[in-house]
Amino acid sequence: MTDTEIVRRLFCALVSAFCLAHIALRLIGEKRRQKWFKKRTRSWFFNRRGFLGEHFHFGRPATKEGVMVLGALLAAIALTTYIIFIV
């Protein structure tokens, strides 16, 4: 595998992770997201939002539902990255 192919696959993995996060946010909804996740408020680095703003900001899980959503999201991202690098 050449360096160009590796970079292309990493970019595809990043885009797919953003797409999966967006789909998860749409499925969960704003009310459940606020109930299941708690936003960080006191940190010198991790409260910075970046160029995507609040749209992709889940926060940290505050309930068991939040932990399950986070686990499912991480598993889905890992699976798609694995598939991208296998194919």
Side-chain angles (χ1 to χ4, degrees):
M1 195 177 325
T2 65
D3 291 342
T4 308
E5 290 177 18
I6 293 172
V7 170
R8 187 179 304 129
R9 289 176 189 220
L10 282 173
F11 181 73
C12 289
L14 180 68
V15 169
S16 68
F18 279 130
C19 290
L20 287 172
H22 181 71
I23 291 169
L25 287 171
R26 291 288 184 146
L27 290 175
I28 291 172
E30 188 64 32
K31 289 182 182 179
R32 284 188 271 178
R33 184 174 86 168
Q34 289 177 354
K35 186 170 31 171
W36 293 348
F37 295 93
K38 181 179 180 184
K39 294 184 181 182
R40 292 182 181 100
T41 56
R42 306 186 102 203
S43 177
W44 65 274
F45 180 74
F46 289 115
N47 62 351
R48 297 181 185 174
R49 302 296 181 245
F51 68 96
L52 293 175
E54 291 292 322
H55 184 69
F56 285 106
H57 183 64
F58 275 96
R60 65 173 181 87
T63 62
K64 65 180 180 181
E65 291 89 354
V67 171
M68 290 188 300
V69 168
L70 179 65
L73 188 58
L74 290 175
I77 290 171
L79 180 66
T80 56
T81 303
Y82 179 73
I83 290 171
I84 286 171
F85 274 93
I86 291 296
V87 174

